[in-house]
Amino acid sequence: MKTQHTSLPFTIIKQIPHSLVLVFDKDFRYIFAEGEAFVENGMNPEFFVGKTIHESFPAEEVVFFIPYYQSVIRGEKKQYEHVHLGQTFLHNFFPYYNDYQELVGGIVISQNITDFKIVQTQLMQSEQRYDLAMKSAHTGIYDWSGTTENTYRSPRVWEIFEIDESEFSTSPSTFLQYIHPEDFKILKNVFSNDLTIDVFSYEIRIITGKNNLKWIQSSGMILRNESGEVVRIVGSILDITSRKEIEAALVESEEKFRELISWLPINVALYDKKGEIVYSNNSQENTLVANVNYYNEDGSIIPANQHPAMLVLATGFAQKDIIMGRQDPSNGRNVWHNVNAIAIKKNGLVDKVICTFTDITALKQTREEALETSKILVVQNKQLEEFAHITSHNLRAPISNLSLLVSLHKQARSEQEKDVYVSKIAEVSEHLLHSIDVLAHSLKIKNEIHKDRELVQFKEILAQTKQVLSGQIASSRAQITHRFDVAELLYPRVYLESILQNLASNAIKYRDRRRVLHLSISTYKENGRTVLEIDDNGIGINLDRHGNKIFGLYKTFHANKDARGVGLFLVKNQVEAMGGFIEVESKEGTGTKFKITF
Amino acid sequence: MHALTKAEKIYLIDDDEIFRFATKRFIEIKQLAGSIEVFANGKRAIDHIMTHCQNPDGCIPQIILLDINMPIMDGWDFLGELEKIDTDIKSKTAIYLLTSSIDDRDIARANKISLVKDYVVKPVDDDKIYKIFAR
């Protein structure tokens, strides 16, 4: 027997990894046993030769094998897999014929397939997972290796492209024909000969076999040969049409929103936590906090950290109806805004700030105009009051005198006496007429607000005044000096003449006869307005006593024969009619200063 | 006819020359006063009072007709100055404010001054004059 073991089949059998071979006769007695598996399991194959199955294996194992041995003796082939001590064995049973084709026994070839089993299980699980992944992700898989024919495409690919696989393969076509023409260049870029690209991901549109427009996303790998040519592309395809539609709807809705905001008559700005603008519907507001000087209504600058948006960031409290001005960089004009700022909070903390800017420039201007109008109204009201006073006083007095004189005239006993009363009545009537003339004149001035203005030179007006008053100036030896820092004024010429003449003539009339009259006339700018100042060293007026009456009609404060009390009344009316005002400073014995602000 | 008290002496203080002339003449015709002194403003009247009316031997008027609006020294200032002088005018003379002003503020102001007996609005006619002298 031992010599037989040196034969070629014996050597081969001995070398088959993890296997063993048993040959038995019809009595299930082993006539041959060999194989690596015996050694691996610590057994000597020679032990089995000459022994029956019952003598070789434990009874509980024999029970399993006996049916297969019996089948083999009946001429059948059987296969049996069983697990023993954690190892999986595959047993093949087949009949053994002699040279005369007589069945003489059976052959068992047993293989330890444990490793193979493990790999197989893993493979199966991985395939299951892969199937599951593909099904759940609706992902199509393709594997292109040079030609259309050599390309694998998973069923999902066909589904996405809505192409019938059988039709496709019978006609000479390519998937490229389904790519949207406008997106072709994307593919070209991806699959170029640029060696740096070895993984890709792109989104393109396709026009499917059923003429539907779809968006797909494809990601994968590119394999190249030594010369850099693409030899294989493995990738996945995902139908992202619905995602794209949602995205488009979102973009559209945001565009609508932005358009709406951009057309709002108010400016809106959204600030992030750092105080930077993340959105604004007005480019002018984009740089506001950092680079624009904002100021309060009183003109004071608002520091950047006091900007309403910054205050909200710092405190979390809404800022309401803050009035802020700034310069419009395009034309340098003042722009006024009503600003509101409110916090958008996230987890209780300020995350963003919404700030609205409502342009109230026009509104503010209207308000200021209304204020100006009301100031004028106050002045006019005062003038009306004055007028009422004048009529009640300056007209009543002469009229009551008239009635008294008439009553005396009636009771007069002689013609001579009557003549006295008549001459007095004539005197009073003349005075009354003059009063009415002055009043009419002052009313005319008040109504001549829109009297023609012209550019009047102060020098000319002074020269003219000196000429008119030449007699008085000469006899009083008055010294008149001037300094015109403002040379000219847009004003009704007659008014300016009247103003200067009245004030100069007053100064001469009420000069202090103990000294030479010095009259200085000057003009200058004060708070943007032109001021005329007439300063004398005359006898002065006690303003504590007469201050409020000095500009009234027929107010005289000196026992001066020429005093008529009309001049200052008219000057005041002329100045106020043109929107200015007149002030007086005086000290008895020192002099008087009239200051007219035009 | 009113029962009239003939005053020994009255002062008329008014800057209006016509008014002074007419009123003086009226009083003379009606023989309402023994004598009438006229002053063109408060200052002149005060000067006169300082010289002639101071206690103990001063001679005082029974009635003063005082205008309010006058240059140099008006009716209010006259009353103010009068307060400072030691004279029986303050206790014995009836002072009437005569004015063409119908300003409520002037009337109110006049009512506050105890020296002023009454406020008479011009024109001064027979009735008003008689009323003054009837009291």
Short mmCIF file of all heavy atoms in Angstrom, two decimals, chain A residues 415-465:
data_model
loop_
_atom_site.label_atom_id
_atom_site.label_comp_id
_atom_site.label_asym_id
_atom_site.label_seq_id
_atom_site.Cartn_x
_atom_site.Cartn_y
_atom_site.Cartn_z
N GLU A 415 -69.06 185.73 19.51
CA GLU A 415 -68.50 185.31 18.24
C GLU A 415 -66.99 185.14 18.37
O GLU A 415 -66.40 184.22 17.82
CB GLU A 415 -68.80 186.37 17.15
CG GLU A 415 -70.24 186.32 16.64
CD GLU A 415 -70.65 184.96 16.15
OE1 GLU A 415 -69.93 184.36 15.32
OE2 GLU A 415 -71.69 184.44 16.61
N GLN A 416 -66.41 186.02 19.16
CA GLN A 416 -64.96 185.99 19.37
C GLN A 416 -64.54 184.66 20.00
O GLN A 416 -63.58 184.03 19.58
CB GLN A 416 -64.58 187.15 20.30
CG GLN A 416 -63.12 187.53 20.16
CD GLN A 416 -62.77 188.65 21.15
OE1 GLN A 416 -63.63 189.20 21.84
NE2 GLN A 416 -61.50 188.98 21.20
N GLU A 417 -65.34 184.27 21.02
CA GLU A 417 -65.07 183.00 21.69
C GLU A 417 -65.22 181.84 20.71
O GLU A 417 -64.41 180.92 20.67
CB GLU A 417 -66.02 182.85 22.88
CG GLU A 417 -65.50 181.87 23.91
CD GLU A 417 -66.48 181.63 25.04
OE1 GLU A 417 -67.45 182.39 25.18
OE2 GLU A 417 -66.28 180.64 25.76
N LYS A 418 -66.29 181.89 19.91
CA LYS A 418 -66.55 180.83 18.92
C LYS A 418 -65.38 180.67 17.96
O LYS A 418 -64.96 179.56 17.63
CB LYS A 418 -67.83 181.14 18.14
CG LYS A 418 -69.10 180.73 18.90
CD LYS A 418 -70.33 180.84 18.04
CE LYS A 418 -71.52 180.41 18.87
NZ LYS A 418 -72.78 180.58 18.14
N ASP A 419 -64.81 181.84 17.53
CA ASP A 419 -63.68 181.79 16.60
C ASP A 419 -62.50 181.03 17.19
O ASP A 419 -61.80 180.28 16.51
CB ASP A 419 -63.25 183.22 16.25
CG ASP A 419 -64.24 183.87 15.28
OD1 ASP A 419 -65.09 183.10 14.77
OD2 ASP A 419 -64.16 185.09 15.06
N VAL A 420 -62.29 181.25 18.51
CA VAL A 420 -61.18 180.55 19.19
C VAL A 420 -61.39 179.03 19.08
O VAL A 420 -60.49 178.27 18.71
CB VAL A 420 -61.08 180.96 20.67
CG1 VAL A 420 -60.05 180.10 21.39
CG2 VAL A 420 -60.73 182.44 20.79
N TYR A 421 -62.63 178.60 19.38
CA TYR A 421 -62.93 177.15 19.32
C TYR A 421 -62.78 176.60 17.91
O TYR A 421 -62.21 175.54 17.69
CB TYR A 421 -64.34 176.88 19.86
CG TYR A 421 -64.51 177.25 21.32
CD1 TYR A 421 -65.67 177.85 21.79
CD2 TYR A 421 -63.48 176.99 22.23
CE1 TYR A 421 -65.83 178.20 23.12
CE2 TYR A 421 -63.62 177.35 23.57
CZ TYR A 421 -64.78 177.95 24.01
OH TYR A 421 -64.90 178.31 25.32
N VAL A 422 -63.25 177.40 16.92
CA VAL A 422 -63.17 176.93 15.52
C VAL A 422 -61.70 176.75 15.11
O VAL A 422 -61.34 175.75 14.48
CB VAL A 422 -63.91 177.90 14.58
CG1 VAL A 422 -63.59 177.56 13.11
CG2 VAL A 422 -65.41 177.81 14.81
N SER A 423 -60.87 177.70 15.52
CA SER A 423 -59.45 177.57 15.12
C SER A 423 -58.82 176.34 15.78
O SER A 423 -58.01 175.64 15.19
CB SER A 423 -58.69 178.85 15.46
OG SER A 423 -58.44 178.89 16.85
N LYS A 424 -59.25 176.08 17.05
CA LYS A 424 -58.75 174.87 17.74
C LYS A 424 -59.24 173.61 17.04
O LYS A 424 -58.51 172.64 16.88
CB LYS A 424 -59.21 174.86 19.21
CG LYS A 424 -58.58 175.95 20.06
CD LYS A 424 -57.15 175.61 20.43
CE LYS A 424 -56.55 176.72 21.29
NZ LYS A 424 -55.09 176.63 21.35
N ILE A 425 -60.54 173.66 16.64
CA ILE A 425 -61.12 172.49 15.94
C ILE A 425 -60.33 172.23 14.66
O ILE A 425 -59.99 171.08 14.34
CB ILE A 425 -62.61 172.73 15.63
CG1 ILE A 425 -63.43 172.62 16.95
CG2 ILE A 425 -63.14 171.71 14.62
CD1 ILE A 425 -64.88 173.04 16.80
N ALA A 426 -59.95 173.27 13.95
CA ALA A 426 -59.18 173.13 12.71
C ALA A 426 -57.82 172.50 13.01
O ALA A 426 -57.37 171.59 12.31
CB ALA A 426 -59.02 174.50 12.06
N GLU A 427 -57.23 172.94 14.12
CA GLU A 427 -55.91 172.42 14.51
C GLU A 427 -55.98 170.91 14.79
O GLU A 427 -55.17 170.13 14.30
CB GLU A 427 -55.45 173.15 15.78
CG GLU A 427 -53.97 173.11 16.03
CD GLU A 427 -53.62 173.85 17.33
OE1 GLU A 427 -54.01 175.03 17.46
OE2 GLU A 427 -52.99 173.21 18.19
N VAL A 428 -57.02 170.56 15.58
CA VAL A 428 -57.18 169.14 15.93
C VAL A 428 -57.47 168.31 14.68
O VAL A 428 -56.92 167.21 14.49
CB VAL A 428 -58.33 168.96 16.97
CG1 VAL A 428 -58.60 167.48 17.21
CG2 VAL A 428 -57.97 169.65 18.26
N SER A 429 -58.31 168.85 13.79
CA SER A 429 -58.66 168.12 12.57
C SER A 429 -57.41 167.83 11.74
O SER A 429 -57.23 166.73 11.22
CB SER A 429 -59.64 168.95 11.73
OG SER A 429 -60.80 169.20 12.49
N GLU A 430 -56.54 168.85 11.65
CA GLU A 430 -55.31 168.70 10.87
C GLU A 430 -54.44 167.59 11.48
O GLU A 430 -53.91 166.73 10.78
CB GLU A 430 -54.56 170.02 10.89
CG GLU A 430 -53.61 170.19 9.72
CD GLU A 430 -52.93 171.55 9.81
OE1 GLU A 430 -53.64 172.58 9.84
OE2 GLU A 430 -51.68 171.55 9.89
N HIS A 431 -54.36 167.62 12.81
CA HIS A 431 -53.57 166.61 13.53
C HIS A 431 -54.15 165.21 13.30
O HIS A 431 -53.42 164.24 13.05
CB HIS A 431 -53.58 166.95 15.03
CG HIS A 431 -52.77 166.01 15.86
ND1 HIS A 431 -51.41 165.95 15.79
CD2 HIS A 431 -53.14 165.08 16.78
CE1 HIS A 431 -50.97 165.04 16.61
NE2 HIS A 431 -52.00 164.49 17.23
N LEU A 432 -55.47 165.15 13.35
CA LEU A 432 -56.15 163.87 13.14
C LEU A 432 -55.88 163.33 11.75
O LEU A 432 -55.60 162.14 11.56
CB LEU A 432 -57.66 164.06 13.37
CG LEU A 432 -58.53 162.81 13.33
CD1 LEU A 432 -58.10 161.82 14.41
CD2 LEU A 432 -59.99 163.20 13.57
N LEU A 433 -55.93 164.23 10.78
CA LEU A 433 -55.69 163.84 9.39
C LEU A 433 -54.27 163.28 9.25
O LEU A 433 -54.05 162.27 8.59
CB LEU A 433 -55.88 165.08 8.51
CG LEU A 433 -56.32 164.80 7.08
CD1 LEU A 433 -57.70 164.15 7.09
CD2 LEU A 433 -56.35 166.10 6.28
N HIS A 434 -53.32 163.96 9.92
CA HIS A 434 -51.94 163.51 9.85
C HIS A 434 -51.79 162.10 10.45
O HIS A 434 -51.12 161.23 9.89
CB HIS A 434 -51.03 164.50 10.58
CG HIS A 434 -49.58 164.11 10.53
ND1 HIS A 434 -48.91 163.61 11.61
CD2 HIS A 434 -48.70 164.11 9.51
CE1 HIS A 434 -47.67 163.32 11.26
NE2 HIS A 434 -47.51 163.62 9.98
N SER A 435 -52.46 161.90 11.57
CA SER A 435 -52.42 160.58 12.22
C SER A 435 -52.92 159.50 11.28
O SER A 435 -52.33 158.42 11.15
CB SER A 435 -53.28 160.58 13.48
OG SER A 435 -52.73 161.45 14.44
N ILE A 436 -54.03 159.84 10.62
CA ILE A 436 -54.61 158.85 9.72
C ILE A 436 -53.66 158.58 8.55
O ILE A 436 -53.47 157.43 8.14
CB ILE A 436 -56.00 159.32 9.24
CG1 ILE A 436 -56.98 159.21 10.44
CG2 ILE A 436 -56.50 158.47 8.08
CD1 ILE A 436 -58.30 159.89 10.19
N ASP A 437 -52.99 159.65 8.07
CA ASP A 437 -52.01 159.48 6.99
C ASP A 437 -50.89 158.53 7.40
O ASP A 437 -50.50 157.64 6.66
CB ASP A 437 -51.40 160.84 6.61
CG ASP A 437 -52.34 161.61 5.70
OD1 ASP A 437 -53.33 161.00 5.23
OD2 ASP A 437 -52.09 162.82 5.48
N VAL A 438 -50.37 158.75 8.61
CA VAL A 438 -49.27 157.92 9.11
C VAL A 438 -49.71 156.46 9.23
O VAL A 438 -49.01 155.54 8.83
CB VAL A 438 -48.74 158.44 10.47
CG1 VAL A 438 -47.77 157.45 11.08
CG2 VAL A 438 -48.08 159.80 10.29
N LEU A 439 -50.90 156.30 9.76
CA LEU A 439 -51.42 154.93 9.91
C LEU A 439 -51.57 154.26 8.56
O LEU A 439 -51.18 153.10 8.37
CB LEU A 439 -52.78 154.95 10.61
CG LEU A 439 -52.73 154.93 12.13
CD1 LEU A 439 -54.13 154.97 12.69
CD2 LEU A 439 -52.01 153.67 12.61
N ALA A 440 -52.11 155.01 7.61
CA ALA A 440 -52.30 154.46 6.26
C ALA A 440 -50.95 154.08 5.67
O ALA A 440 -50.79 153.01 5.07
CB ALA A 440 -53.00 155.48 5.38
N HIS A 441 -49.94 154.95 5.91
CA HIS A 441 -48.61 154.69 5.40
C HIS A 441 -48.03 153.40 6.01
O HIS A 441 -47.45 152.57 5.32
CB HIS A 441 -47.72 155.89 5.72
CG HIS A 441 -46.36 155.82 5.08
ND1 HIS A 441 -46.20 155.56 3.74
CD2 HIS A 441 -45.11 155.96 5.60
CE1 HIS A 441 -44.91 155.54 3.45
NE2 HIS A 441 -44.22 155.79 4.58
N SER A 442 -48.22 153.27 7.32
CA SER A 442 -47.68 152.08 7.99
C SER A 442 -48.39 150.82 7.51
O SER A 442 -47.77 149.77 7.36
CB SER A 442 -47.79 152.24 9.50
OG SER A 442 -49.08 151.90 9.95
N LEU A 443 -49.67 150.94 7.27
CA LEU A 443 -50.40 149.77 6.75
C LEU A 443 -49.88 149.41 5.37
O LEU A 443 -49.74 148.24 5.03
CB LEU A 443 -51.90 150.07 6.67
CG LEU A 443 -52.65 149.98 7.99
CD1 LEU A 443 -54.10 150.36 7.78
CD2 LEU A 443 -52.56 148.57 8.56
N LYS A 444 -49.56 150.43 4.60
CA LYS A 444 -49.05 150.22 3.25
C LYS A 444 -47.71 149.46 3.35
O LYS A 444 -47.46 148.51 2.63
CB LYS A 444 -48.85 151.56 2.56
CG LYS A 444 -48.96 151.49 1.06
CD LYS A 444 -48.96 152.90 0.48
CE LYS A 444 -48.28 152.87 -0.87
NZ LYS A 444 -47.55 154.10 -1.14
N ILE A 445 -46.87 149.87 4.29
CA ILE A 445 -45.58 149.21 4.47
C ILE A 445 -45.80 147.74 4.80
O ILE A 445 -45.19 146.85 4.23
CB ILE A 445 -44.78 149.88 5.62
CG1 ILE A 445 -44.33 151.27 5.17
CG2 ILE A 445 -43.59 149.03 6.02
CD1 ILE A 445 -43.76 152.11 6.30
N LYS A 446 -46.73 147.49 5.69
CA LYS A 446 -47.00 146.11 6.10
C LYS A 446 -47.46 145.25 4.94
O LYS A 446 -47.20 144.05 4.88
CB LYS A 446 -48.05 146.08 7.21
CG LYS A 446 -47.44 146.40 8.56
CD LYS A 446 -48.46 146.52 9.63
CE LYS A 446 -47.75 146.98 10.91
NZ LYS A 446 -48.64 147.71 11.79
N ASN A 447 -48.18 145.87 4.04
CA ASN A 447 -48.68 145.10 2.90
C ASN A 447 -47.67 145.01 1.77
O ASN A 447 -47.89 144.33 0.79
CB ASN A 447 -49.98 145.72 2.39
CG ASN A 447 -51.09 145.52 3.39
OD1 ASN A 447 -51.11 144.52 4.09
ND2 ASN A 447 -52.01 146.47 3.48
N GLU A 448 -46.55 145.74 1.94
CA GLU A 448 -45.57 145.76 0.84
C GLU A 448 -44.42 144.81 1.10
O GLU A 448 -43.29 145.09 0.75
CB GLU A 448 -45.03 147.18 0.65
CG GLU A 448 -45.96 148.01 -0.22
CD GLU A 448 -45.49 149.45 -0.31
OE1 GLU A 448 -44.56 149.82 0.44
OE2 GLU A 448 -46.06 150.18 -1.12
N ILE A 449 -44.74 143.69 1.70
CA ILE A 449 -43.70 142.70 1.99
C ILE A 449 -42.96 142.30 0.72
O ILE A 449 -41.77 142.08 0.70
CB ILE A 449 -44.32 141.47 2.69
CG1 ILE A 449 -44.72 141.87 4.11
CG2 ILE A 449 -43.34 140.31 2.75
CD1 ILE A 449 -45.42 140.79 4.87
N HIS A 450 -43.72 142.27 -0.36
CA HIS A 450 -43.10 141.81 -1.62
C HIS A 450 -42.66 142.98 -2.48
O HIS A 450 -42.56 142.86 -3.68
CB HIS A 450 -44.07 140.92 -2.36
CG HIS A 450 -44.44 139.72 -1.57
ND1 HIS A 450 -43.54 138.75 -1.23
CD2 HIS A 450 -45.61 139.36 -0.99
CE1 HIS A 450 -44.13 137.83 -0.49
NE2 HIS A 450 -45.39 138.18 -0.33
N LYS A 451 -42.41 144.11 -1.82
CA LYS A 451 -41.90 145.28 -2.54
C LYS A 451 -40.61 144.91 -3.27
O LYS A 451 -39.81 144.12 -2.80
CB LYS A 451 -41.63 146.40 -1.54
CG LYS A 451 -41.59 147.76 -2.16
CD LYS A 451 -41.53 148.81 -1.08
CE LYS A 451 -41.33 150.18 -1.68
NZ LYS A 451 -42.49 150.62 -2.46
N ASP A 452 -40.44 145.51 -4.43
CA ASP A 452 -39.28 145.17 -5.27
C ASP A 452 -37.97 145.37 -4.53
O ASP A 452 -37.68 146.44 -4.03
CB ASP A 452 -39.27 146.07 -6.52
CG ASP A 452 -40.40 145.66 -7.45
OD1 ASP A 452 -40.92 144.54 -7.28
OD2 ASP A 452 -40.74 146.46 -8.32
N ARG A 453 -37.21 144.30 -4.49
CA ARG A 453 -35.90 144.41 -3.85
C ARG A 453 -34.86 144.64 -4.93
O ARG A 453 -35.02 144.19 -6.06
CB ARG A 453 -35.56 143.09 -3.12
CG ARG A 453 -36.49 142.81 -1.99
CD ARG A 453 -36.22 141.43 -1.45
NE ARG A 453 -37.33 141.05 -0.57
CZ ARG A 453 -37.16 140.36 0.55
NH1 ARG A 453 -35.98 139.97 0.92
NH2 ARG A 453 -38.20 140.05 1.29
N GLU A 454 -33.82 145.34 -4.54
CA GLU A 454 -32.71 145.50 -5.47
C GLU A 454 -31.43 145.49 -4.66
O GLU A 454 -31.45 145.67 -3.43
CB GLU A 454 -32.84 146.80 -6.27
CG GLU A 454 -32.97 148.04 -5.38
CD GLU A 454 -33.22 149.30 -6.21
OE1 GLU A 454 -32.37 149.58 -7.07
OE2 GLU A 454 -34.24 149.97 -5.98
N LEU A 455 -30.32 145.28 -5.35
CA LEU A 455 -29.05 145.25 -4.65
C LEU A 455 -28.65 146.70 -4.35
O LEU A 455 -28.32 147.45 -5.25
CB LEU A 455 -28.00 144.55 -5.52
CG LEU A 455 -26.94 143.79 -4.75
CD1 LEU A 455 -27.56 142.84 -3.74
CD2 LEU A 455 -26.06 143.03 -5.72
N VAL A 456 -28.74 147.07 -3.07
CA VAL A 456 -28.51 148.47 -2.69
C VAL A 456 -27.15 148.59 -2.00
O VAL A 456 -26.82 147.79 -1.13
CB VAL A 456 -29.62 148.93 -1.72
CG1 VAL A 456 -29.48 150.42 -1.46
CG2 VAL A 456 -30.99 148.63 -2.30
N GLN A 457 -26.37 149.59 -2.41
CA GLN A 457 -25.06 149.84 -1.79
C GLN A 457 -25.26 150.72 -0.57
O GLN A 457 -25.87 151.79 -0.67
CB GLN A 457 -24.13 150.55 -2.78
CG GLN A 457 -23.93 149.81 -4.11
CD GLN A 457 -23.10 148.55 -3.95
OE1 GLN A 457 -22.15 148.54 -3.14
NE2 GLN A 457 -23.46 147.50 -4.67
N PHE A 458 -24.72 150.29 0.59
CA PHE A 458 -24.87 151.10 1.80
C PHE A 458 -24.22 152.48 1.62
O PHE A 458 -24.70 153.48 2.14
CB PHE A 458 -24.26 150.37 3.00
CG PHE A 458 -25.15 149.30 3.54
CD1 PHE A 458 -24.85 147.95 3.37
CD2 PHE A 458 -26.32 149.64 4.21
CE1 PHE A 458 -25.67 146.97 3.86
CE2 PHE A 458 -27.15 148.65 4.72
CZ PHE A 458 -26.83 147.31 4.52
N LYS A 459 -23.09 152.51 0.87
CA LYS A 459 -22.38 153.76 0.62
C LYS A 459 -23.28 154.78 -0.05
O LYS A 459 -23.31 155.94 0.33
CB LYS A 459 -21.15 153.48 -0.26
CG LYS A 459 -19.85 153.76 0.43
CD LYS A 459 -18.69 153.50 -0.52
CE LYS A 459 -17.38 153.52 0.23
NZ LYS A 459 -16.29 152.99 -0.58
N GLU A 460 -24.01 154.31 -1.05
CA GLU A 460 -24.91 155.19 -1.80
C GLU A 460 -26.00 155.74 -0.89
O GLU A 460 -26.33 156.93 -0.93
CB GLU A 460 -25.59 154.43 -2.94
CG GLU A 460 -24.72 154.23 -4.16
CD GLU A 460 -25.42 153.38 -5.20
OE1 GLU A 460 -26.68 153.43 -5.24
OE2 GLU A 460 -24.73 152.65 -5.92
N ILE A 461 -26.56 154.85 -0.07
CA ILE A 461 -27.65 155.25 0.82
C ILE A 461 -27.16 156.30 1.81
O ILE A 461 -27.83 157.28 2.08
CB ILE A 461 -28.21 154.02 1.57
CG1 ILE A 461 -28.75 152.99 0.58
CG2 ILE A 461 -29.32 154.44 2.54
CD1 ILE A 461 -29.92 153.44 -0.24
N LEU A 462 -25.92 156.09 2.32
CA LEU A 462 -25.37 157.03 3.29
C LEU A 462 -25.15 158.40 2.62
O LEU A 462 -25.49 159.45 3.19
CB LEU A 462 -24.06 156.49 3.87
CG LEU A 462 -23.35 157.40 4.87
CD1 LEU A 462 -24.24 157.63 6.09
CD2 LEU A 462 -22.00 156.84 5.29
N ALA A 463 -24.61 158.36 1.41
CA ALA A 463 -24.36 159.61 0.68
C ALA A 463 -25.67 160.37 0.47
O ALA A 463 -25.75 161.59 0.67
CB ALA A 463 -23.70 159.29 -0.66
N GLN A 464 -26.70 159.61 0.13
CA GLN A 464 -27.99 160.22 -0.12
C GLN A 464 -28.57 160.82 1.16
O GLN A 464 -29.11 161.93 1.15
CB GLN A 464 -28.92 159.12 -0.69
CG GLN A 464 -30.03 159.66 -1.57
CD GLN A 464 -31.36 159.44 -0.91
OE1 GLN A 464 -31.41 158.97 0.23
NE2 GLN A 464 -32.43 159.81 -1.61
N THR A 465 -28.41 160.10 2.27
CA THR A 465 -28.89 160.57 3.57
C THR A 465 -28.18 161.88 3.96
O THR A 465 -28.80 162.85 4.41
CB THR A 465 -28.65 159.50 4.64
OG1 THR A 465 -29.35 158.33 4.27
CG2 THR A 465 -29.14 159.95 6.02
#
